[in-house]
Amino acid sequence: MNVLLIIVDDLRPVLGCYGDKLVKSPNIDQLASQSMVFSNAYAQQAVCAPSRVSFLTGRRPDTTRLYDFYSYWRVHAGNYSTMPQYFKENGYMTLSVGKVFHPGISSNYSDDYPYSWSIPPFHPSAEKHENDKTCRGKDGKLYANLVCPVNVTEMPGGTLPDIQSTEEAIHLLNIMKTNRQKFFLAVGYHKPHIPLRYPQEFLKLYPLENITLAPDPWMPKKLPSVAYNPWMDIRQRDDVKALNVSFPYGALPDDFQRQIRQSYYAAVSYLDVQVGLLLNALDNVGLSNNTVVVFTADHGWSLGEHGEWAKYSNFDVATRVPLMFYVPGMTTSPVSQGARVFPYLDPFNHIGGSAPQGQSKKVVELVSLFSTLAELAGLQVPPACPEMSFGVVLCTEGTSIVHYFNVSERMVEEGKEGCNDTDRCFKEEPFAFSQYPRPADTPQWNSDKPKLKDIRIMGYSMRTIDYRYTLWVQFDPNNFSANFEDVHAGELYIMENDPNQDNNVYYNTSHGWFSKKILDFLKH
């Protein structure tokens, strides 16, 4: 099997296939209709570089020792193999287009080439204009705004980065068809990462009067201040600066909140078009019948929930991601050569969604992607990492989730009743672990993205189907150690009656069992 890995930046699961009634995402929904879709998938840290290095190496942030953007794991932690490197060593042509690794120091200024990729990674030339003043204001002048619908023909080079990435990925698929070599192609899309810069016609899909505010646009009363993210990157945009919102808890005006949400959805539909063109090209080159397609994001994004924007937190809106796997012959019946699996769907005139082929509510983690993809491609699954794995080149800290593909949810639920093997029961009630660093107990200018030397507190979150439990504990950046004897704050949300995580019951519930679980896990 070939592999096409699609990684989206800052995409929470606002998609038709995840039950969103407003968002128009026909092409991603069509992929879901042929895929195994995980409705409870979580990133290990809700910020770009740490999340990507984590799932591309199959190691957690405490093992990659990357919580910011400023170190390269091979030098700073251990010379760990990556998922594309493993495929490359097993005879695959490995190709990177767009934002796969986070660019910069965290991937050695080379996207980890030549370790991970067969040829130098492709970056769209328009990428360098992402934060330029290209957004036309009401006064006709150009600004570096957060909300930025544009006329593409007026953009530098007359294009946008994701359009260029799609074109390059299609070009590579055509070469792969000619070469007849098995490939691992990773395509990283920028949108809906800020600035929300997308072709202006997508606004037509989302009339402002249809846009609501977040269901809980206030900071929860019992939220510890250490857990709050003050969305500094948004405050630095020209249109937000002009609103002069007080730091750290001042709210954005309601009408501007609606505009952000409208533009986020418009950017998602623009992204959906790119995914549709890419998958249609997979059909065109006749490779849909022997290519595994994975679609996911590096983390989510708050759209005003809890009075927060951006990522930078342990809330579900920041850590939960879409995750789906199309595996010909497994998630669908075998596809005959030349059959159309992914005809392009135009979001402007496509009516009606398509339900996922299979859906699992099991809680899963992005750190499991490496072992899962290895198993789906028929490669030997890398071994589980030992307790101390800094010197181990090839191992993963995430277990393959392929065993969830064929088991009906009903059977798994029934299987839990007669469960007497504690270890097996633990595996059947899966957990996702996420974490987020902070420089202080209260919001600072660098709370969202503290550099390693400034981290003083680490928030460890354990998410099960029923609850989210978080401990904010003292952290020493000099030896990367967390001190669970020194708890600064805690959060506990019971999902059944508090799905939006607004009512923190940590301080009025006994939670010895939760503490034991999180400590047991972190020790191992």
Side-chain angles (χ1 to χ4, degrees):
M1 290 276 186
N2 302 307
V3 176
L4 172 58
L5 171 61
I6 303 170
I7 303 168
V8 185
D9 207 340
D10 290 18
L11 178 66
R12 58 192 264 165
V14 287
L15 300 163
C17 53
Y18 277 84
D20 194 291
K21 300 283 187 280
L22 184 67
V23 171
K24 293 180 171 57
S25 52
N27 294 289
I28 298 168
D29 297 348
Q30 177 173 253
L31 173 63
S33 75
Q34 306 287 324
S35 298
M36 186 67 189
V37 175
F38 288 88
S39 49
N40 286 300
Y42 293 88
Q44 276 46 78
Q45 192 181 322
V47 69
C48 306
S51 174
R52 288 164 187 263
V53 168
S54 170
F55 69 72
L56 288 165
T57 60
R59 318 267 185 138
R60 299 178 187 279
D62 278 348
T63 308
T64 65
R65 292 183 164 173
L66 182 71
Y67 314 103
D68 58 14
F69 298 82
Y70 306 108
S71 64
Y72 179 41
W73 78 91
R74 291 187 191 273
V75 173
H76 179 75
N79 188 25
Y80 311 143
S81 285
T82 67
M83 173 165 44
Q85 179 182 356
Y86 187 59
F87 276 81
K88 184 182 170 192
E89 287 163 356
N90 279 280
Y92 279 72
M93 180 86 169
T94 57
L95 307 157
S96 172
V97 171
K99 186 176 175 182
V100 178
F101 280 101
H102 192 84
I105 303 174
S106 63
S107 57
N108 203 30
Y109 298 103
S110 66
D111 298 275
D112 197 45
Y113 174 79
Y115 290 101
S116 287
W117 310 108
S118 304
I119 59 173
F122 169 86
H123 282 277
S125 59
E127 217 172 59
K128 60 180 176 288
H129 303 295
E130 269 295 83
N131 296 305
D132 291 0
K133 295 188 172 188
T134 52
C135 321
R136 203 166 290 289
K138 290 196 172 83
D139 58 5
K141 293 180 185 161
L142 293 177
Y143 294 92
N145 285 344
L146 169 64
V147 172
C148 187
V150 297
N151 178 338
V152 176
T153 60
E154 293 177 359
M155 291 300 97
T159 188
L160 291 171
D162 287 348
I163 294 171
Q164 289 183 294
S165 290
T166 302
E167 290 165 352
E168 176 66 13
I170 291 171
H171 169 65
L172 289 172
L173 284 175
N174 280 295
I175 292 173
M176 289 300 103
K177 179 195 177 184
T178 314
N179 286 5
R180 297 191 172 183
Q181 187 178 0
K182 58 185 180 180
F183 63 84
F184 177 106
L185 169 60
V187 182
Y189 286 116
H190 283 76
K191 290 306 114 191
H193 193 287
I194 66 169
L196 297 169
R197 188 170 70 131
Y198 54 87
Q200 59 200 17
E201 57 270 24
F202 285 91
L203 269 179
K204 290 189 211 126
L205 295 172
Y206 302 100
L208 205 51
E209 61 268 21
N210 294 354
I211 306 298
T212 58
L213 297 179
D216 51 352
W218 57 86
M219 181 177 164
K221 287 191 185 69
K222 295 178 185 167
L223 183 72
S225 53
V226 69
Y228 182 81
N229 77 284
W231 35 281
M232 285 301 292
D233 56 349
I234 285 181
R235 294 172 190 275
Q236 288 155 13
R237 305 286 162 173
D238 290 348
D239 49 354
V240 181
K241 257 190 212 161
L243 298 168
N244 210 13
V245 179
S246 65
F247 179 89
Y249 299 121
L252 291 168
D254 286 3
D255 61 333
F256 193 72
Q257 291 195 36
R258 286 194 176 88
Q259 284 178 44
I260 298 176
R261 288 168 70 89
Q262 175 194 39
S263 273
Y264 186 89
Y265 302 145
V268 171
S269 290
Y270 158 58
L271 161 79
D272 182 77
V273 165
Q274 304 310 312
V275 172
L277 293 169
L278 176 61
L279 293 174
N280 185 56
L282 193 68
D283 270 356
N284 289 343
V285 294
L287 294 171
S288 303
N289 63 335
N290 63 343
T291 302
V292 173
V293 181
V294 187
F295 178 90
T296 193
D298 54 357
H299 42 71
W301 213 76
S302 302
L303 282 166
E305 295 86 358
H306 317 111
E308 296 183 329
W309 300 89
K311 48 259 187 175
Y312 316 125
S313 84
N314 282 322
F315 277 115
D316 274 20
V317 283
T319 55
R320 185 169 165 248
V321 293
L323 178 62
M324 60 189 80
F325 297 83
Y326 160 77
V327 190
M330 182 188 262
T331 61
T332 60
S333 47
V335 183
S336 56
Q337 189 72 38
R340 307 292 305 177
V341 186
F342 304 118
Y344 173 74
L345 302 173
D346 181 352
F348 290 93
N349 58 29
H350 182 78
I351 307 224
S354 35
Q357 170 66 22
Q359 197 155 17
S360 173
K361 292 192 174 72
K362 288 292 176 196
V363 173
V364 297
E365 307 176 287
L366 285 187
V367 76
S368 291
L369 209 48
F370 189 161
S371 44
T372 304
L373 263 180
E375 184 172 346
L376 289 174
L379 304 181
Q380 192 167 352
V381 178
C385 289
E387 234 167 271
M388 289 297 284
S389 65
F390 294 106
V392 182
V393 171
L394 179 67
C395 67
T396 71
E397 293 179 327
T399 51
S400 169
I401 55 174
V402 173
H403 59 284
Y404 292 148
F405 280 44
N406 294 331
V407 181
S408 77
E409 288 292 306
R410 199 168 52 76
M411 277 169 62
V412 174
E413 293 308 316
E414 284 169 4
K416 268 164 58 174
E417 289 164 22
C419 198
N420 51 18
D421 170 350
T422 319
D423 190 45
R424 189 170 65 83
C425 303
F426 181 75
K427 286 195 173 87
E428 282 186 3
E429 181 51 58
F431 296 70
F433 278 85
S434 304
Q435 61 191 102
Y436 212 86
R438 294 280 188 239
D441 287 300
T442 52
Q444 313 289 314
W445 67 271
N446 64 339
S447 284
D448 294 341
K449 295 190 277 192
K451 290 187 172 174
L452 175 64
K453 67 178 175 53
D454 298 322
I455 297 170
R456 294 293 173 272
I457 302 162
M458 188 69 74
Y460 289 96
S461 254
M462 179 170 66
R463 180 69 160 85
T464 74
I465 203 75
D466 300 318
Y467 60 82
R468 174 163 79 82
Y469 178 67
T470 304
L471 289 177
W472 295 90
V473 301
Q474 190 267 334
F475 184 84
D476 184 344
N478 298 309
N479 58 9
F480 306 94
S481 66
N483 177 9
F484 281 84
E485 304 294 306
D486 186 358
V487 176
H488 286 234
E491 296 170 79
L492 176 59
Y493 304 97
I494 310 299
M495 304 312 296
E496 188 178 13
N497 51 18
D498 183 23
N500 296 329
Q501 303 177 5
D502 293 317
N503 182 26
N504 178 15
V505 298
Y506 176 86
Y507 295 102
N508 48 359
T509 312
S510 71
H511 40 77
W513 182 84
F514 299 108
S515 304
K516 182 178 182 311
K517 272 278 187 252
I518 206 166
L519 284 167
D520 282 354
F521 178 82
L522 291 163
K523 278 178 193 151
H524 300 297

